Amino acid sequence: GAQQFGVDQEGVKNIPFMLTEVANAESIKEIAQEEEIFFTDPKPVSVEARYLVHGGAAHWYNGTKVPLLDKDGQVIAVAGIFHDVTEIKRQEKIRRGHAHILEMIARGQPLSATLDAIVRTVENLLENVSGSILLYQPDEKKLRHGAAPNLPESYANIIDGVDIGPKVGSFGTAAYRREPVYVSDTYQDPLWED
């Protein structure tokens, strides 16, 4: 668990482990606000929270915080146990997205709205990703705009009507090969030369 926060095995040995030592600034502020409330009303609490850790990755944690009191009943420390529930949250998000899309299909929503929902569902699962769907038009042998809710309209217009072929960017090549094509740098990849 501590490795997700950027703490190595040596750091784990340095008990007590403090979340504030490894969380980013935004999450430290949230933790401090939680602790302030906790110290004014010292009782065990269940917590489910999203924290940004080193590198900016978001993780969900579920756990319990318990106050440690001195002989006068004053809170002197907080003990807690937490479990990373990030994957559970991700699976819940996937199920909600699937259910929403299936409901749109069942209700006969327009294709454009359904494709838009598919792209948004995928974008919400991944960080720093914008997607699009292009539809193959066999009579033209071209790819046509289907959905691109978070890409600039000018870009969507440029790729609308692109040919398919062995070296036609990621999407034209993927349609030609009938398999996924991954490109990390469109400025350097030979598939994007033309």
Side-chain angles (χ1 to χ4, degrees):
Q3 286 141 343
Q4 294 164 345
F5 288 104
V7 176
D8 59 16
Q9 290 295 352
E10 202 55 41
V12 173
K13 293 176 188 172
N14 295 329
I15 304 299
F17 171 72
M18 297 293 294
L19 186 57
T20 54
E21 292 174 4
V22 292
N24 75 3
E26 180 183 328
S27 291
I28 289 172
K29 186 176 180 181
E30 291 174 23
I31 293 166
Q33 291 170 345
E34 291 171 5
E35 297 299 316
E36 188 175 319
I37 294 167
F38 189 73
F39 277 81
T40 60
D41 186 17
K43 61 184 178 191
V45 292
S46 293
V47 178
E48 184 169 276
R50 178 181 176 266
Y51 294 116
L52 296 176
V53 297
H54 285 300
H59 284 266
W60 280 92
Y61 292 90
N62 185 315
T64 302
K65 290 183 181 181
V66 179
L68 301 177
L69 308 176
D70 66 12
K71 63 182 183 204
D72 299 322
Q74 297 298 311
V75 177
I76 56 170
V78 178
I81 185 164
F82 289 86
H83 300 279
D84 186 332
V85 293
T86 305
E87 183 57 25
I88 293 167
K89 289 288 190 182
R90 187 173 130 348
Q91 292 297 326
E92 288 172 358
K93 192 184 268 192
I94 291 170
R95 280 191 291 278
R96 282 192 307 272
H98 284 175
H100 175 66
I101 292 164
L102 290 173
E103 181 179 346
M104 292 180 76
I105 293 168
R107 293 182 184 270
Q109 295 293 316
L111 178 61
S112 60
T114 304
L115 295 177
D116 187 82
I118 292 169
V119 173
R120 288 181 190 276
T121 298
V122 172
E123 289 175 341
N124 286 331
L125 292 172
L126 305 169
E127 294 183 24
N128 301 315
V129 169
S130 296
S132 68
I133 294 177
L134 298 172
L135 304 172
Y136 178 61
Q137 299 298 314
D139 54 325
E140 302 176 313
K141 296 193 176 174
K142 293 184 179 291
L143 297 174
R144 291 291 180 187
H145 173 77
N150 291 306
L151 289 174
E153 187 176 339
S154 59
Y155 180 77
N157 290 338
I158 289 170
I159 62 175
D160 184 36
V162 70
D163 292 323
I164 67 166
K167 287 180 67 177
V168 188
S170 309
F171 32 82
T173 305
Y176 176 80
R177 293 181 185 170
R178 297 177 180 238
E179 63 183 33
V181 172
Y182 303 99
V183 171
S184 60
D185 184 348
T186 57
Y187 292 108
Q188 301 293 324
D189 195 285
L191 295 179
W192 286 83
E193 285 177 355
D194 300 334

